[in-house]
Amino acid sequence: MDVHQVLRMNGGSGDRSYAANSHIQNKILSLTKTIRKEAIEDLFSSSSSSSSSSPCATQGLAIAELGCSCGPTALSVIEEVVDEVDERCQSLCLPLPQIQVFLNDLPANDFSNIFRALPAFYSKLKETNKDKFRHCFVAITPGSFYGRLFPSQSLHFIHSSSSLHWLSQVPADLNNGALTGPLNKGKLYISKTSPLKVYLAYLAQFQRDFSVFLRSRSAEIVQGGRMVLSFVGRPTEDPTTEEATHQWELIAQALHSMALEGIIQEEEIDCIDVPYYSPSREEVKLEIEREGSFLLDRLEVFQVDWDATNNIQQNDECSLLKMTRGKEVVKTIRAVVESMLADHFGHGIMDELFRRYEQLVEEHLLRMNTQYSNFVLSLLRK
């Protein structure tokens, strides 16, 4: 799997697009707003006006949004950050700095959707405060954040949400070669029946990727700069816990039901694994300590329901509402994973796959309320 080519959210603005089905991501942004606010406050309060790297001294502030995707969420974060910068400058009696914003994602991302949204974004800034409109400049920076993207010491604030659980590649060690075949047969991700080597391969890939990410950002961000990251994690050290794996388990079950009917071949399932990993708290903290460039100010864990829809009453006795939730859950997941599944199995089976997946999710939600565990990290560049 060439992750750079196939890992992308569904583009456009239609019913199956990421833009129309990013409720989970919006909920996460809402829950982490306070931490972003505090990071911006600390950026200004800890910056000496005489420091060459201070936005107060340079009259310029550089912000990167990593993994911006193709929906409206990235621009809403930028608007929030610009508002907070403006508020801090007013409270400190400082002029609003020039704000350069870099939106980043893989080259296959539908950046055109963001371009179309920019005029409305600028218009909103202009309506609320003409200074913010005149001082904010947005640019696109395609590329993998598992590597360098920006010049050395050029950024003051880095933000990434709902992206770092995606790996740079499927762990290479999952294929044992022609004699023994795939190591994780019948599964898309770590499961309770997967050999221990599967978990170790995923852990090793996460360690490599997260270390590269931190090392790259440490070169790009100024001393005293801030970074806020949020991504899917797991609540325990056990990598096979249901909360960390059930999303992929249910997709695998839907695929196996299609294989039994001859719609796809069992071998097609055996030879696909997803470039995804939900780490534990300790695994995250260990890599930050090993890389050594950042101080971890905060690491918080919060839960988000699979649907994260506020207007649906959480009533375990109401089957109809549970089924409605199942349909919404599958729409949000399809908008994220369809591209890489279609690349492997073909676009022709996607409707049938997600129809079966929807049935399984509805049955699952009738038994239990399911949540994602999310980590939010606030880091300081030493």
Side-chain angles (χ1 to χ4, degrees):
M1 182 186 296
D2 185 347
V3 172
H4 289 195
Q5 294 298 319
V6 304
L7 182 56
R8 61 183 181 275
M9 310 299 104
N10 284 353
S13 55
D15 184 58
R16 293 175 181 167
S17 68
Y18 176 83
N21 296 286
S22 49
H23 316 300
I24 298 287
Q25 293 80 1
N26 287 327
K27 182 68 173 180
I28 292 168
L29 290 175
S30 175
L31 291 169
T32 56
K33 182 176 181 178
T34 300
I35 295 176
R36 284 191 298 278
K37 178 181 174 69
E38 291 174 355
I40 294 296
E41 290 175 350
D42 290 343
L43 177 65
F44 277 82
S45 62
S46 63
S47 295
S48 166
S49 59
S50 61
S51 170
S52 61
S53 65
S54 167
C56 305
T58 62
Q59 297 298 303
L61 182 69
I63 299 169
E65 174 71 19
L66 306 181
C68 66
S69 190
C70 54
T73 52
L75 291 177
S76 69
V77 171
I78 298 306
E79 181 183 354
E80 171 201 309
V81 171
V82 171
D83 287 345
E84 180 58 31
V85 170
D86 181 48
E87 183 179 322
R88 291 303 299 164
C89 288
Q90 289 187 41
S91 67
L92 296 170
C93 298
L94 295 169
L96 184 66
Q98 300 283 331
I99 303 173
Q100 177 69 71
V101 178
F102 299 97
L103 300 179
N104 156 262
D105 213 309
L106 293 172
N109 182 59
D110 181 14
F111 289 108
S112 61
N113 210 41
I114 295 178
F115 289 137
R116 286 192 290 269
L118 279 174
F121 167 76
Y122 283 127
S123 294
K124 191 171 183 181
L125 286 182
K126 192 173 184 178
E127 288 172 6
T128 56
N129 186 312
K130 289 186 178 180
D131 278 345
K132 286 189 287 187
F133 166 70
R134 287 195 294 262
H135 286 72
C136 183
F137 305 90
V138 179
I140 303 294
T141 307
S144 172
F145 51 49
Y146 293 121
R148 289 289 301 273
L149 291 165
F150 307 102
S152 298
Q153 296 188 338
S154 61
L155 300 174
H156 297 91
F157 180 70
I158 295 172
H159 180 259
S160 179
S161 183
S162 302
S163 295
L164 274 163
H165 42 260
W166 295 109
L167 301 173
S168 68
Q169 64 177 60
V170 175
D173 294 342
L174 293 181
N175 193 329
N176 279 352
L179 293 179
T180 56
L183 191 61
N184 200 26
K185 287 186 176 183
K187 301 294 181 179
L188 303 182
Y189 182 57
I190 303 166
S191 75
K192 290 191 179 297
T193 60
S194 298
L196 176 61
K197 288 182 179 179
V198 172
Y199 160 63
L200 295 177
Y202 269 103
L203 174 61
Q205 187 64 51
F206 164 75
Q207 290 171 333
R208 287 191 293 269
D209 282 349
F210 196 45
S211 178
V212 168
F213 177 88
L214 293 170
R215 188 164 61 249
S216 300
R217 304 296 80 78
S218 70
E220 296 164 348
I221 199 168
V222 299
Q223 184 178 2
R226 297 278 169 166
M227 186 159 65
V228 175
L229 312 173
S230 58
F231 50 90
V232 179
R234 67 176 190 268
T236 71
E237 290 302 307
D238 179 6
T240 68
T241 181
E242 187 178 50
E243 189 171 325
T245 61
H246 48 204
Q247 172 182 326
W248 302 111
E249 284 285 280
L250 294 178
I251 294 178
Q253 288 178 32
L255 288 167
H256 280 293
S257 71
M258 296 174 73
L260 288 173
E261 297 177 22
I263 300 172
I264 59 174
Q265 299 299 311
E266 197 74 33
E267 291 78 8
E268 294 180 80
I269 307 172
D270 293 342
C271 62
I272 179 174
D273 295 281
V274 292
Y276 169 97
Y277 186 70
S278 54
S280 70
R281 288 173 60 110
E282 292 307 311
E283 289 168 354
V284 171
K285 291 168 66 176
L286 181 59
E287 288 311 307
I288 294 171
E289 292 170 3
R290 281 177 176 170
E291 196 280 326
S293 298
F294 292 92
L295 290 175
L296 180 61
D297 276 350
R298 296 175 68 172
L299 195 169
E300 296 188 8
V301 182
F302 54 92
Q303 308 296 322
V304 179
D305 286 347
W306 263 21
D307 61 353
T309 305
N310 294 326
N311 63 346
I312 294 180
Q313 181 181 359
Q314 302 300 311
N315 183 348
D316 290 338
E317 297 178 358
C318 184
S319 298
L320 179 60
L321 289 182
K322 289 288 186 178
M323 292 180 70
T324 303
R325 290 175 62 202
K327 185 180 291 292
E328 291 302 311
V329 166
V330 171
K331 287 174 67 176
T332 62
I333 295 175
R334 181 172 185 171
V336 173
V337 305
E338 182 172 16
S339 65
M340 66 177 175
L341 294 177
D343 179 76
H344 184 78
F345 294 102
H347 291 273
I349 72 159
M350 289 298 104
D351 286 346
E352 179 63 17
L353 169 60
F354 286 103
R355 185 189 67 78
R356 294 177 186 230
Y357 184 44
E358 182 181 318
Q359 291 178 337
L360 292 169
V361 169
E362 288 171 354
E363 293 169 5
H364 181 81
L365 289 174
L366 286 171
R367 296 193 303 271
M368 60 186 295
N369 190 44
T370 308
Q371 297 178 315
Y372 297 105
S373 286
N374 282 268
F375 296 166
V376 56
L377 288 63
S378 182
L379 302 106
L380 167 69
R381 177 66 169 92
K382 293 179 182 177

